[in-house]
Amino acid sequence: MSDILVVVGSITSATRLVKRLEKYGDSSAKVINTPSKLGGSGCSYSVRARLSSENFIRNNLYGISIKKIYIEDRTGKERIYHDISR
């Protein structure tokens, strides 16, 4: 199962992005702490959303600062992240 993980610059940006995704129809979008595997110091926030929301996210970032975008693959208990930032 795959999701998209968007690492953002602040909790405010994360909240704004989740609200936009909810209006778009992605009810699974939520704010999370950035996983430590991605070099986060515990202070960074990300938005986890459906992979199908990727194009919407890339085209609706007005006022939202993003750091990276990843595809998160889950295989059992293991999570693997693929950087798809451009």
Side-chain angles (χ1 to χ4, degrees):
M1 184 169 157
S2 297
D3 287 322
I4 191 167
L5 194 72
V6 183
V7 182
V8 295
S10 69
I11 187 71
T12 303
S13 292
T15 303
R16 285 182 186 154
L17 182 54
V18 167
K19 287 180 181 179
R20 288 181 194 175
L21 285 162
E22 287 172 346
K23 286 182 183 178
Y24 170 70
D26 187 344
S27 59
S28 71
K30 63 181 179 179
V31 177
I32 63 167
N33 284 47
T34 301
S36 57
K37 265 188 171 180
L38 301 178
S41 61
C43 299
S44 178
Y45 294 96
S46 295
V47 173
R48 179 178 286 133
R50 291 185 190 133
L51 184 56
S52 60
S53 297
E54 178 187 357
N55 286 334
F56 176 83
I57 291 167
R58 289 185 186 275
N59 293 315
N60 290 280
L61 290 174
Y62 316 108
I64 297 175
S65 170
I66 65 163
K67 295 179 179 181
K68 294 274 187 175
I69 300 176
Y70 297 91
I71 290 178
E72 178 187 61
D73 288 322
R74 285 178 255 168
T75 317
K77 292 183 180 181
E78 186 178 6
R79 293 175 189 242
I80 301 167
Y81 301 94
H82 308 280
D83 188 347
I84 58 168
S85 304
R86 295 173 213 209

